[in-house]
Amino acid sequence: MAIRYELIKECKQTGARLGRLHTPHGVIETPIFMPVGTQATVKAMTPEELKDMAAQIILSNTYHLYLRPGHELVKEAGGLHKFMNWDRPILTDSGGFQVFSLGDLRKISEEGVEFQSHLDGSRHFLSPERVMEIETALGADIIMAFDECAPYPADYDYVKKSMERTTRWAKRCKDSFENTENQALFGIVQGGMFRDLREQSAKELVELDFPGYSIGGLSVGESKDLMYEVLDYTTPLLPKNKPRYLMGVGSPDALIEGVIRGVDMFDCVLPTRIARNGTAMTSEGRIAIKNAKYTRDFTPLDPNCTCYTCKNYTRAYLRHLYKADEILSSRLMSTHNLYFLIHLMKQVREAIMEDRLMDFRNEFFAKYYGETLL
Amino acid sequence: MAIRYELIKECKQTGARLGRLHTPHGVIETPIFMPVGTQATVKAMTPEELKDMAAQIILSNTYHLYLRPGHELVKEAGGLHKFMNWDRPILTDSGGFQVFSLGDLRKISEEGVEFQSHLDGSRHFLSPERVMEIETALGADIIMAFDECAPYPADYDYVKKSMERTTRWAKRCKDSFENTENQALFGIVQGGMFRDLREQSAKELVELDFPGYSIGGLSVGESKDLMYEVLDYTTPLLPKNKPRYLMGVGSPDALIEGVIRGVDMFDCVLPTRIARNGTAMTSEGRIAIKNAKYTRDFTPLDPNCTCYTCKNYTRAYLRHLYKADEILSSRLMSTHNLYFLIHLMKQVREAIMEDRLMDFRNEFFAKYYGETLL
């Protein structure tokens, strides 16, 4: 087995779990937020900077790497770790989400998905077997089965058919995937916002005995309350001795609420994307650095933060860099936002350990969102 | 006096000098290449990265900082060093070059230059006295007098009038500049490609007794041979106990030829600009990383280089980052090119010390340019 999940402690107040995930490239403390490196680079960052902020695992995207530079090239380079100079764990998604997001540019059949590249319009075909081939070539520690992420809203029949095909594809992935000693294949629970479909999906996937499970099809446009409701009934269906990964979630409230509902792993482009747009997550909520009120603000982005950016630069300087369209703006803002989420999850782990997760949640929310979410 | 130039050794074969420039923020070994941080940031780089590659002094641009974020704001921030988190020496240009480059957007009089901002069209007036005010507020260790950089080609009468006004402006700068204990004001020798005008300019500026001298109006479109010819007769006119700075020059051949002709300091945006366009300077000449032949090239950018980029990444990965328009591409390529020039100047200093500068020049040129420049 490529990975092993070690359950350290269950929260007394909530469904939260403290754990350790042992992988071929090291041990990950969970719950964890995983920075996203779509094209074999976490945008604007070096691997050393990610390590300095205690990033333990990063995610990369199969769809993008398959199209450019190509998985065969990455394999020739010695695999994704070596190609991008990152020696800690990596997780690759399956490309399913990206392919299905192509809309008119893709056609689904039982066999797989035919689609056109968003880069050059060239035609491609991805099947569960082909995706396993690609993810094996990339060589991430944790890889995802090829799934369909149903849109939201979608009617019951569509979601049911899609979920059942995703389960059949999960089985085909498992049957064709051979590199089980070095890589762990996760199944992805689908079923939209329908409880019985989530139950069916979870049950059938658990029978296939994957080393870990993702929860897909959330954070796709539904309300956060609905997402939490789905998590409420979905995570208890998953085995306690396996890690649970909620895909595409990265806002501080959703991370904490996800942990409370028993999720161990999260990923999202949110921190780096809003950073490049000049928005910082701080202990007192989001701030848009271009705001005129920061023109002569010679205090750090977040007075309670100890990241490289907050230790060395002022809001006035960050605003100047952003207005002047300087690359250093993206760097310093991304550094801060990633540190913020990674550090948030560290605090969450400490709170679980000390049986005060709900107190931590309430204090954090009061400062970050004001009273609105309490 | 804010600075002191210490002449360590004169080359036996050429006009090259080995020296040390003592400034309020530390000692600079000369000859030196200065990375350019136009808008209070060397594009794509942090101060720590510049220190790691042994950058000893950087340049920043008065025109740009005056317009954005404004010199008063920088002063409020505690000066440019503190604003941008750089505690080593800084040199600011005078804004003359940028203002005169505005063409139809500026009008010159004896009093100064009226111009429109390239950012928002707002109207401004810069005079020698005003520029001293601005450069004092920015607080660089070395500052430039406000000059006119005559275009090339230009007729004798225009260049003569322009040079004589530049000299009068240099005197006005000197007369109005008060912060001489903390900042060193350089005079700028002009005179285009005319020997008698260069002689007149140098003579009159030397009489004004500046702590250092720049050579302006070169690298403006003339051939390199013509530039070297102007240097041949200009540098000997400057005092041996003062530093000499050739503005806007950064190609490896021009750096070495400039040193041979007695220049101590150079600056140019070339290494960072071409880096962002995917071009690297290597010990075997320039390479364009987008070239298809690097697709599966798993060797470093420059096999003879020990910079961060060359120690950790392959040409194939760098090509991928460039094609994918990733910020890390600009970072890694800029890191390499800056290191390349800084390291080149270190080798030049060693060659002067060991009386083998011409041998070094010939060997370097043979590898970098092939036989063409020998």
Side-chain angles (χ1 to χ4, degrees):
Chain A
M1 288 291 283
I3 64 163
R4 180 170 62 85
Y5 176 75
E6 182 188 350
L7 180 62
I8 293 174
K9 180 186 165 85
E10 288 179 289
C11 180
K12 286 176 185 155
Q13 307 167 304
T14 73
R17 305 133 48 88
L18 199 64
R20 269 191 214 109
L21 189 58
H22 300 258
T23 84
H25 286 86
V27 179
I28 302 159
E29 309 280 332
T30 60
I32 185 113
F33 174 78
M34 305 183 283
V36 179
T38 300
Q39 304 188 108
T41 163
V42 176
K43 286 192 191 300
M45 309 295 297
T46 62
E48 289 77 10
E49 287 162 352
L50 294 167
K51 289 184 184 178
D52 282 350
M53 60 174 71
Q56 300 181 54
I57 172 172
I58 61 172
L59 184 142
S60 199
N61 290 96
T62 292
Y63 168 81
H64 288 95
L65 295 179
Y66 160 72
L67 289 179
R68 183 176 61 195
H71 59 290
E72 291 293 354
L73 188 150
V74 174
K75 187 179 176 183
E76 271 181 61
L80 191 50
H81 291 87
K82 197 168 170 205
F83 185 56
M84 68 182 292
N85 186 33
W86 173 257
D87 57 10
R88 293 189 182 176
I90 300 178
L91 182 154
T92 46
D93 68 0
S94 68
F97 181 77
Q98 282 77 19
V99 168
F100 287 100
S101 303
L102 290 173
D104 289 348
L105 292 175
R106 50 85 176 156
K107 217 171 79 183
I108 312 170
S109 66
E110 182 62 24
E111 183 53 25
V113 187
E114 199 187 317
F115 67 97
Q116 283 184 271
S117 160
H118 74 288
L119 295 174
D120 61 6
S122 56
R123 295 193 171 276
H124 300 267
F125 185 78
L126 286 183
S127 64
E129 293 76 14
R130 179 74 172 143
V131 167
M132 289 302 97
E133 226 180 282
I134 297 167
E135 292 198 86
T136 300
L138 296 174
D141 302 76
I142 299 171
I143 69 174
M144 295 298 122
F146 192 50
D147 66 322
E148 179 185 357
C149 174
Y152 177 81
D155 65 44
Y156 185 88
D157 286 348
Y158 182 92
V159 176
K160 184 173 166 67
K161 275 183 194 154
S162 163
M163 176 274 289
E164 288 174 344
R165 186 171 48 219
T166 285
T167 304
R168 290 192 296 276
W169 285 1
K171 184 167 189 317
R172 282 169 56 189
C173 282
K174 191 164 194 290
D175 289 345
S176 74
F177 177 62
E178 292 176 351
N179 195 22
T180 52
E181 283 304 308
N182 304 304
Q183 299 178 281
L185 171 64
F186 278 29
I188 303 179
V189 178
Q190 290 288 357
M193 313 302 159
F194 303 103
R195 183 166 187 162
D196 65 319
L197 299 186
R198 287 281 174 183
E199 286 169 349
Q200 181 187 340
S201 173
K203 181 170 175 289
E204 292 173 357
L205 289 174
V206 170
E207 281 167 11
L208 290 171
D209 193 24
F210 287 97
Y213 295 91
S214 303
I215 301 160
L218 292 178
S219 196
V220 290
E222 80 284 9
S223 72
K224 280 185 175 166
D225 282 344
L226 183 50
M227 175 168 84
Y228 300 151
E229 191 189 315
V230 175
L231 287 178
D232 276 332
Y233 56 67
T234 302
T235 45
L237 305 169
L238 299 172
K240 283 200 171 178
N241 62 340
K242 305 277 178 78
R244 305 154 181 175
Y245 158 35
L246 176 56
M247 306 174 86
V249 164
S251 65
D253 55 328
L255 291 179
I256 295 173
E257 296 293 350
V259 168
I260 285 170
R261 287 159 179 83
V263 175
D264 307 304
M265 303 161 72
F266 304 84
D267 81 287
C268 198
V269 296
L270 183 80
T272 43
R273 180 170 290 167
I274 68 174
R276 295 194 304 281
N277 293 327
T279 298
M281 300 174 178
T282 80
S283 55
E284 291 167 358
R286 283 197 191 189
I287 71 174
I289 199 65
K290 72 177 170 193
N291 197 310
K293 72 180 170 190
Y294 303 125
T295 307
R296 289 179 147 74
D297 185 340
F298 300 113
T299 66
L301 205 46
D302 184 343
N304 298 313
C305 179
T306 54
C307 81
Y308 169 74
T309 303
C310 290
K311 278 192 293 189
N312 292 292
Y313 303 93
T314 63
R315 290 174 172 181
Y317 183 64
L318 292 167
R319 179 173 188 272
H320 164 66
L321 292 180
Y322 180 75
K323 301 272 289 181
D325 201 19
E326 285 286 353
I327 288 174
L328 190 57
S329 170
S330 294
R331 291 187 56 181
L332 296 180
M333 297 292 281
S334 297
T335 296
H336 171 78
N337 281 353
L338 287 171
Y339 182 94
F340 183 82
L341 289 189
I342 288 168
H343 189 67
L344 172 64
M345 295 309 266
K346 183 165 181 274
Q347 293 171 286
V348 164
R349 291 194 298 271
E350 288 165 0
I352 299 172
M353 181 56 93
E354 295 161 9
D355 288 313
R356 52 175 180 77
L357 182 58
M358 285 309 290
D359 292 344
F360 174 80
R361 170 200 178 277
N362 295 341
E363 283 162 29
F364 177 86
F365 281 18
K367 273 195 284 180
Y368 195 90
Y369 298 100
E371 302 301 310
T372 51
L373 281 192
L374 289 177
Chain B
M1 289 290 285
I3 64 162
R4 180 170 61 84
Y5 176 74
E6 182 188 349
L7 179 61
I8 293 174
K9 180 187 166 85
E10 289 179 288
C11 179
K12 288 178 184 153
Q13 307 167 305
T14 73
R17 303 132 52 87
L18 199 65
R20 269 191 215 108
L21 188 58
H22 301 259
T23 84
H25 286 85
V27 179
I28 302 158
E29 309 279 333
T30 61
I32 185 123
F33 174 78
M34 306 182 284
V36 178
T38 299
Q39 304 189 107
T41 164
V42 175
K43 286 192 191 302
M45 308 296 297
T46 63
E48 289 76 10
E49 288 163 349
L50 293 168
K51 288 183 182 178
D52 283 349
M53 61 174 71
Q56 301 181 53
I57 173 171
I58 61 170
L59 183 142
S60 199
N61 290 95
T62 292
Y63 167 81
H64 288 96
L65 296 178
Y66 160 73
L67 289 179
R68 184 175 60 196
H71 59 291
E72 291 294 354
L73 188 149
V74 174
K75 188 180 175 182
E76 272 181 60
L80 190 51
H81 291 87
K82 198 169 170 205
F83 184 56
M84 68 182 290
N85 186 33
W86 174 257
D87 58 10
R88 293 190 182 177
I90 300 178
L91 182 152
T92 46
D93 67 1
S94 67
F97 181 77
Q98 281 79 19
V99 169
F100 288 98
S101 303
L102 290 172
D104 289 348
L105 292 174
R106 48 85 176 158
K107 217 171 80 184
I108 312 170
S109 66
E110 182 62 23
E111 182 53 24
V113 186
E114 200 188 316
F115 67 97
Q116 283 185 272
S117 160
H118 74 287
L119 295 173
D120 61 7
S122 57
R123 294 193 171 276
H124 300 266
F125 186 78
L126 285 183
S127 64
E129 292 76 14
R130 180 73 172 142
V131 166
M132 289 302 96
E133 227 180 282
I134 297 167
E135 291 196 87
T136 300
L138 295 175
D141 301 77
I142 299 171
I143 69 173
M144 295 297 122
F146 192 50
D147 67 322
E148 180 186 353
C149 175
Y152 177 81
D155 64 45
Y156 184 87
D157 287 347
Y158 182 92
V159 175
K160 183 174 167 66
K161 276 181 195 155
S162 162
M163 176 273 288
E164 288 174 344
R165 187 171 48 220
T166 285
T167 304
R168 290 191 297 276
W169 284 3
K171 185 168 188 319
R172 281 168 59 189
C173 283
K174 190 164 195 292
D175 289 346
S176 74
F177 178 63
E178 291 175 352
N179 195 23
T180 52
E181 284 304 308
N182 304 305
Q183 299 179 280
L185 171 64
F186 279 29
I188 303 179
V189 178
Q190 291 287 357
M193 313 303 157
F194 303 103
R195 183 165 187 165
D196 66 317
L197 300 184
R198 288 281 173 184
E199 285 169 349
Q200 181 188 340
S201 173
K203 182 170 174 290
E204 292 172 359
L205 289 173
V206 170
E207 281 167 11
L208 289 171
D209 192 24
F210 288 97
Y213 295 90
S214 304
I215 301 161
L218 292 179
S219 198
V220 289
E222 81 283 8
S223 72
K224 280 184 175 166
D225 282 343
L226 182 51
M227 175 169 84
Y228 300 151
E229 191 189 315
V230 175
L231 288 177
D232 277 332
Y233 56 67
T234 303
T235 45
L237 306 169
L238 299 172
K240 281 199 172 178
N241 62 338
K242 306 278 178 75
R244 304 154 181 174
Y245 159 34
L246 176 56
M247 307 174 83
V249 164
S251 66
D253 54 329
L255 291 179
I256 295 173
E257 296 293 348
V259 168
I260 285 171
R261 287 159 179 83
V263 175
D264 307 305
M265 304 161 72
F266 304 84
D267 81 286
C268 197
V269 297
L270 183 81
T272 43
R273 179 169 292 167
I274 67 174
R276 295 195 304 282
N277 292 326
T279 298
M281 299 173 179
T282 79
S283 55
E284 291 167 357
R286 285 196 189 188
I287 71 173
I289 200 65
K290 72 177 172 194
N291 197 309
K293 72 181 169 190
Y294 304 124
T295 307
R296 290 181 146 72
D297 184 341
F298 300 113
T299 66
L301 205 46
D302 185 343
N304 298 312
C305 180
T306 54
C307 81
Y308 169 73
T309 303
C310 290
K311 278 192 295 191
N312 292 292
Y313 302 93
T314 62
R315 291 174 172 180
Y317 183 64
L318 292 168
R319 179 174 187 271
H320 165 66
L321 292 179
Y322 180 76
K323 301 272 288 181
D325 202 19
E326 285 286 353
I327 288 174
L328 191 56
S329 170
S330 293
R331 291 187 57 180
L332 297 180
M333 296 293 279
S334 297
T335 297
H336 171 78
N337 281 354
L338 287 172
Y339 181 94
F340 184 80
L341 289 190
I342 288 167
H343 189 66
L344 172 63
M345 294 309 266
K346 182 164 181 275
Q347 293 171 287
V348 163
R349 291 194 298 272
E350 289 165 359
I352 299 172
M353 182 55 94
E354 294 162 10
D355 288 313
R356 51 175 181 77
L357 182 57
M358 286 308 289
D359 290 345
F360 174 79
R361 170 199 178 276
N362 294 341
E363 282 162 28
F364 178 84
F365 281 17
K367 271 195 284 179
Y368 196 88
Y369 297 100
E371 301 302 309
T372 52
L373 281 193
L374 289 178

